[in-house]
Amino acid sequence: MFLVTLQSVVAVCFFAATVTKVDAFAAPQVVPASKVGGSINESSATPQDIFEEFTKFLIDHQTDMISKIEQADGSENAFSRDGWGAFANDNDSIDAQQTKSGGITRVIQGGNVVEKGACSLTVIRNGVLSADRAATIQGRQQQQEGDLVVQEGDIYSAAALSVVLHTRNPFVPTFRSDVRIFLVKSASDDVAVAWFGGGSDLTPYYLIDEDISKFHKDLKQMCDSHFPENNEYNLSHQKMKQLCDEYFYLPARSEHRGTGGIFFDDLPATPATLTFVQDVATGWMPSWLPIVEKNGCKEFTEEQKHWQCLRRGRYLEFNLLYDRGVKFGLANANPRVEGVMVSAPPKISFDYNHVPVEGSEEERLLKILKEPKDWTV
């Protein structure tokens, strides 16, 4: 999915839009919003506690991830910083009053490894649900058993961290990932509910099977450690892989954007799922940087670079035609276009009716994109 900054409340739409649903997810945790939990644990944590803990984690993780990417890139080009709201004026600390919205968009361009990359943090607080957004959430809740029925006028908060890294070398895949939380408090009583969403996936230009396989096997190992068979969330790596393949699909082309990863949404925010989502995020760089180290210095031809630009065209095509968050952000009145489009590839190509050479590596990639495989076996 396209990198979203929430500065136009894009990620709010991402939660409230009719996205691929995990119908089997358990109902969200519903407890009094004013209940004070001393720490994040199973017995005392409220949705608000979990939201605040996760928001602090996202702020710290953005800083840590930027440092790792700049070190791996090895160029003089550092990430720029565009802060707004609570994070304006180079303030990277959380708002002490926990009442203000804001975000930090970090962008690197022209690096040695990362031709263009973006890492965006957004925190939205005390928004008011419109009738349309409330109705969409209600439609999702019809398949759950939560006590809170979201209504127009309820108060919402959201936090998200997302990253897209477009690589200079066509033998290093584009990496995309995000994690997010959406919290709703009833306007009529003291009840709150929250959900997590997120994922991680690769868009390769040439298939180096051992790299793609390790990426998926590591994700499976992490998911299996959190969701054993018959878990209360009825969630598994296989299900999240399928959701990822289904979401990143270009129906007009009958092909997938990349080789996938995991995707999840509507995951009830509990102390246990908080740990899972944090593990998803902390696994991003360890899953991608070894591929950079292995393939980032490989020589490539102009033809191979052109193929990369052609596939980037599909990446942009998906974002503009099918990504619900981007479509919502651009449809807003006075959208922050630079923020919505920040993860667009730096250079793309559109050749008319391009057909890969039979038996080539380009053709092999296209066959996989049309018929995804299980990379963990």
Side-chain angles (χ1 to χ4, degrees), residues 233-270:
Y233 304 100
N234 196 21
L235 191 59
S236 65
H237 170 263
Q238 182 181 5
K239 185 173 293 184
M240 287 185 277
K241 167 65 162 62
Q242 180 180 349
L243 289 171
C244 187
D245 289 339
E246 290 174 354
Y247 186 83
F248 294 106
Y249 181 68
L250 292 88
R253 303 276 188 182
S254 297
E255 64 186 50
H256 298 262
R257 194 182 70 180
T259 50
I262 60 171
F263 178 86
F264 58 95
D265 212 352
D266 299 343
L267 177 62
T270 67

Side-chain angles (χ1 to χ4, degrees), residues 13-34:
C13 168
F14 204 74
F15 280 88
T18 308
V19 297
T20 306
K21 298 181 179 64
V22 184
D23 297 341
F25 275 170
Q29 180 187 34
V30 181
V31 296
S34 62

